[in-house]
Amino acid sequence: MDASALCRLSVALDLPAHLALGSVLTYLGERPLAAGTLVRVPLGKASHLGVVVGLADEAPLDGAEPTALRPVDEVLDATAPLNPAWLNLTRFAAHYYQRAWGEVMLAALPSHLRRLDATQWAAQVGKLKRGLASAPATPARPVAMPDLNAEQAAALRAWRAEAGATARPALLFGVTGSGKTEVYLRVVADALAAGTATAPSQVLVLVPEINLTPQLEARFAERFPGQAIVSLHSGLTPVQRLRAWLAAHTGQARIVLGTRMAVFASMPNLRLIVVDEEHDPSYKAQDGARHSARDLAVWRAQHEGARVLLGSATPSLESWAHAQNAGGVPMAGRRVGELAGSGRYQLLTLRERVASAPLPQVRLLDMNAPAATADESSRLIHPVALAALKACLARGEQSLVLLNRRGYAPVLHCGACGWKSECAHCSAWRVFHRTDRTLRCHHCGLTHRVPRACPECGNLDIKPLGHGTQKLEEQLAALLAQAPTAHGGPVRVARIDADSTRLKGSLQAQLAGVHAGEVDVLVGTQMVAKGHDFRRIRLVLVPEPDGALFSHDFRAAERLFALLMQAGGRAGRAGPEADAQSDATSELIVQTSFPTHPLFAALKGHDFEAFAAATLTERAQAGLPPHSHLALLRCEARTQAAAMAWLNAAFDAGQALLDQAAAPGVSLCPPVPAAMARLANVERAQLLVEAPRRAALQAFLRDWHAALHATSAALPQEVGRAVIRWAVDVDPQVI
Ligand SMILES: [Zn+2]
Ligand SMILES: [Zn+2]
């Protein structure tokens, strides 16, 4: 070792928070290493993967003598270091979401990388290079591009008009079936064509669900033959994910398709990010840093000289407000955040469906009406809805019945003593699954055989209450058993939900069955409503949407509206060939006890803009996002009392900071138990922070977060021992 070349390196690691070491430690290197270099370093007795973030020669050594520093184990330098833009992205995300930089960085790298030494890493890199060299080059056969309609062409022109450093993020607002994907394909083609031989462009396309990647991948492969396309999502094996990540990192993958984790893909020549269904809640992570992939995509594009296109038929109100011209959103005289009507996003609109397939007619059925309350089956399926289902069968058309509750019945109940199938570990009921006669908690997984008799009183007559998709499937089959079908055989009812698609490949197989016309009535959860094209479906029935109208969560109605619009979009989403065969209009039937609710009026008119305007006004009056910014401090403990005691101390610490007027406008709500107060034997409580401006919220969170460690330490031991973990959720999606 040449002592004169020795240097001190700052290395970011994923360290457990309780070590309170921060996430950047100093090690001794034999030579200076560029920031972004992957290394293995010793910590305790183990060797850990880390990322060099700089030379630490200027940094204080915390009293440690240089000789006391441990040397780097080895350097994984078979590929170029992670680039400065990627380091910036992860540092920003860590800062914004109140996490350690090392944690965010290491979580963004493929987990398999943690298990490789330098030799194994070099072998993987070599394998990738050889694989690319030997892969038969797909001949670039000419692809017939469909003609754009006038709106698509106008959207593309407007997008191109904003090229350059001043280009804004764009929101493509297009009704389902309006051909958003074709616009994505065109802007991707533009971005790929703009690259150079030495720096070929890369494009990142985000989708909300893994299940949507195969059909999109096929579409991109067809349009861009000969371009390397990889997918990044949690359904890959660790080795598959490593290879896909590596292809992106080396610049060889030109198109990366992925779910929210892919927003952190290392892409040295990133030119464009497309976020499809940008409103989808699954873009917000519910663990780790709880980042929003959509929001980070916008930030990333702006900081890497790339462009970003968000697309949706029902944009999130945050994005929608950004895309309205200043003053375009009613403010109701309140002070508003920087989001509302800011004109920060370019708005591209597609109002027409391609091939002029009409939007489905929306019919509301009043479940308070006498016809709907006559008997049990009418309370489940309104007679008018049943007649519509039968008419579909007679015409040989498919229908979709959407119920967002899987299982047979949400709870089992004893009429004699009132026992219910409560979960022993959660504040939730265990769901009755009839197929395997089990009671399962959908939150912690606790599963038992269904008891023969009531466990409390021995009564043999225990009954399912309410219904899930399994029971709905059974009841629809019974209600339609005698109905004549166009194919002459008995009615074929099928179900697609998380239970029916547990096995790998089973969803694709079931969808193929639907596409092939082997199903007459499809029962499904929101999994089916999202993104899948069903050309033969002419009727969508939503029997029970009302729960979301009066939820404690202010975003529930927004999510319901998006789901109903999306579900309706499944109906009659026919390609030109199917349209030529049938001129029947498709229909969306919604059963509700609140038919005059404004949400349904907007739905009837397919009027997202009216819904958005009304909801934004309500949000402004209530001071809710996007007119304000929120964070949740969540605490998990062994007892509810400890969680509340901890949060009360945190509240006091926060209030003390606010009394020093450090962050104008920030306010704290008193702690409350979480909506689901107990999960897998862990008690949960939370405290909401509100601020009119993002900057004020961020400033407060930084100071508060720093103070919370001291607050924790000062609490009585029994509280400290009972608290399991706490974390800040910035911009929470579920309250
Ligand atoms: Zn009982
Ligand atoms: Zn449970």
Side-chain angles (χ1 to χ4, degrees):
M1 196 183 269
D2 175 6
S4 66
L6 283 182
C7 59
R8 284 172 286 177
L9 299 171
S10 298
V11 178
L13 297 165
D14 184 12
L15 299 177
H18 66 80
L19 291 181
L21 288 171
S23 74
V24 177
L25 302 183
T26 306
Y27 287 89
L28 209 54
E30 287 180 33
R31 56 189 161 95
L33 295 172
T37 305
L38 295 168
V39 290
R40 296 200 68 90
V41 293
L43 184 73
K45 288 179 180 158
S47 171
H48 288 252
L49 181 70
V51 180
V52 175
V53 293
L55 294 177
D57 284 333
E58 312 299 320
L61 282 170
D62 300 320
E65 288 302 311
T67 49
L69 292 176
R70 300 178 72 177
V72 167
D73 284 336
E74 50 180 3
V75 182
L76 282 67
D77 54 4
T79 56
L82 293 152
N83 70 4
W86 189 86
L87 294 174
N88 274 342
L89 170 69
T90 50
R91 185 170 47 200
F92 168 77
H95 195 71
Y96 186 83
Y97 292 107
Q98 308 291 321
R99 310 295 288 206
W101 190 11
E103 179 197 355
V104 171
M105 243 195 259
L106 273 291
L109 295 173
S111 58
H112 194 63
L113 191 49
R114 298 187 189 208
R115 303 170 46 176
L116 302 183
D117 61 25
T119 316
Q120 293 164 322
W121 176 235
Q124 280 292 342
V125 175
K127 212 181 267 178
L128 176 82
K129 285 184 180 150
R130 281 195 302 281
L132 284 170
S134 65
T138 324
R141 60 208 146 78
V143 185
M145 280 198 280
D147 291 335
L148 297 181
N149 66 24
E151 283 187 326
Q152 288 171 318
L156 196 60
R157 273 198 306 279
W159 164 266
R160 286 173 176 161
E162 286 220 359
T166 55
R168 292 172 293 169
L171 175 64
L172 179 61
F173 165 53
V175 298
T176 28
S178 62
K180 288 191 289 294
T181 308
E182 185 55 38
V183 178
Y184 299 157
L185 290 165
R186 299 297 178 109
V187 304
V188 168
D190 276 8
L192 292 177
T196 63
T198 48
S201 325
Q202 291 181 292
V203 171
L204 174 62
V205 181
L206 298 178
V207 291
E209 297 212 5
I210 300 175
N211 299 327
L212 300 177
T213 53
Q215 80 187 34
L216 202 63
E217 193 168 344
R219 197 124 179 228
F220 274 78
E222 180 192 50
R223 182 61 67 86
F224 303 106
Q227 304 280 20
I229 302 176
V230 298
S231 293
L232 268 177
H233 53 73
S234 60
L236 303 177
T237 67
V239 173
Q240 286 172 330
R241 189 177 155 203
L242 180 74
R243 291 201 183 133
W245 182 87
L246 193 55
H249 174 62
T250 55
Q252 278 148 343
R254 306 287 303 283
I255 301 172
V256 176
L257 303 175
T259 49
R260 65 170 181 258
M261 65 154 68
V263 77
F264 286 115
S266 166
M267 299 175 71
N269 301 312
L270 181 65
R271 289 289 161 270
L272 169 70
I273 308 179
V274 175
V275 185
D276 190 22
E277 308 291 359
E278 66 87 32
H279 65 280
D280 199 290
S282 63
Y283 282 121
K284 177 85 157 99
Q286 291 306 318
D287 52 17
R290 293 175 177 264
H291 69 276
S292 157
R294 188 224 22 237
D295 294 352
L296 284 180
V298 172
W299 191 93
R300 182 174 187 181
Q302 289 184 318
H303 287 77
E304 295 190 24
R307 296 197 65 188
V308 62
L309 178 62
L310 312 175
S312 177
T314 50
S316 66
L317 293 177
E318 280 79 2
S319 299
W320 183 250
H322 271 322
Q324 305 302 300
N325 290 324
V329 175
M331 301 303 176
R334 279 185 64 100
R335 182 175 177 204
V336 294
E338 65 266 35
L339 267 171
S342 64
R344 280 186 50 205
Y345 291 3
Q346 180 185 23
L347 182 62
L348 311 171
T349 307
L350 305 178
R351 289 179 201 281
E352 298 290 319
R353 290 186 124 190
V354 289
S356 303
L359 283 163
Q361 291 203 339
V362 178
R363 189 153 22 151
L364 299 174
L365 298 180
D366 184 353
M367 295 309 280
N368 302 309
T373 52
D375 54 34
E376 200 188 332
S377 75
S378 311
R379 278 193 289 272
L380 178 70
I381 304 289
H382 191 290
V384 172
L386 189 62
L389 287 168
K390 287 179 176 169
C392 268
L393 286 177
R395 289 196 302 264
E397 294 166 357
Q398 290 179 319
S399 16
L400 166 65
V401 184
L402 185 72
L403 179 67
N404 236 350
R405 195 164 54 222
R406 62 195 174 85
Y408 187 83
V411 62
L412 271 191
H413 172 242
C414 167
C417 75
W419 171 86
K420 288 196 181 80
S421 56
E422 200 169 356
C423 176
H425 308 310
C426 307
S427 22
W429 308 118
R430 280 175 303 157
V431 174
F432 174 38
H433 285 252
R434 190 169 199 170
T435 39
D436 56 359
R437 306 282 310 167
T438 55
L439 286 177
R440 281 189 232 154
C441 175
H442 287 182
H443 302 280
C444 71
L446 180 73
T447 301
H448 284 124
R449 295 279 298 163
V450 170
R452 285 183 188 284
C454 171
E456 294 289 324
C457 73
N459 172 21
L460 288 172
D461 190 24
I462 47 177
K463 288 203 173 81
L465 280 186
H467 46 267
T469 46
Q470 289 173 12
K471 187 171 179 188
L472 186 61
E473 177 190 14
E474 184 185 285
Q475 291 182 319
L476 280 168
L479 286 169
L480 297 169
Q482 306 304 323
T485 59
H487 51 72
V491 60
R492 298 160 306 178
V493 182
R495 169 172 57 86
I496 296 186
D497 58 23
D499 296 312
S500 78
T501 55
R502 210 155 287 221
L503 296 174
K504 198 173 164 66
S506 56
L507 175 62
Q508 298 311 323
Q510 289 172 37
L511 290 173
V514 180
H515 291 306
E518 293 159 10
V519 172
D520 300 315
V521 180
L522 177 63
V523 177
T525 55
Q526 61 175 6
M527 177 190 252
V528 175
K530 287 185 179 182
H532 303 288
D533 281 356
F534 296 109
R535 306 198 158 194
R536 296 161 187 256
I537 286 181
R538 287 282 165 188
L539 169 65
V540 176
L541 169 62
V542 186
E544 283 186 11
D546 287 346
L549 296 176
F550 306 99
S551 168
H552 65 279
D553 186 339
F554 70 88
R555 280 197 183 85
E558 184 183 347
R559 287 194 290 266
L560 173 66
F561 187 77
L563 181 67
L564 292 176
M565 290 281 278
Q566 215 160 12
R570 297 304 111 209
R573 187 181 177 159
E577 72 278 18
D579 257 0
Q581 293 162 11
S582 165
D583 55 7
T585 32
S586 52
E587 199 170 23
L588 170 64
I589 298 183
V590 179
Q591 300 185 165
T592 174
S593 299
F594 307 92
T596 57
H597 196 285
L599 184 148
F600 293 126
L603 182 72
K604 255 183 111 91
H606 301 281
D607 196 348
F608 170 78
E609 288 159 89
F611 172 78
T615 312
L616 281 169
T617 304
E618 279 171 28
R619 299 269 182 94
Q621 283 160 357
L624 288 168
H627 299 282
S628 67
H629 300 277
L630 305 179
L632 265 186
L633 178 62
R634 301 178 191 272
C635 180
E636 298 182 358
R638 288 190 176 78
T639 64
Q640 189 61 233
M644 291 297 281
W646 189 90
L647 286 171
N648 277 316
F651 178 90
D652 292 343
Q655 206 54 56
L657 284 172
L658 294 179
D659 291 344
Q660 298 160 21
V666 174
S667 61
L668 303 178
C669 304
V672 289
M676 195 161 156
R678 186 157 45 105
L679 177 71
N681 276 339
V682 171
E683 298 288 341
R684 299 135 39 101
Q686 62 193 35
L687 186 174
L688 187 67
V689 188
E690 296 173 336
R693 297 192 172 268
R694 206 182 282 280
L697 180 64
Q698 284 284 317
F700 169 74
L701 290 178
R702 258 188 305 286
D703 294 348
W704 194 34
H705 204 258
L708 286 178
H709 289 283
T711 306
S712 284
L715 280 168
Q717 270 197 352
E718 64 273 19
V719 174
R721 269 200 295 267
V723 170
I724 300 164
R725 65 179 80 84
W726 55 270
V728 179
D729 181 357
V730 182
D731 305 330
Q733 284 302 297
V734 179
I735 303 292

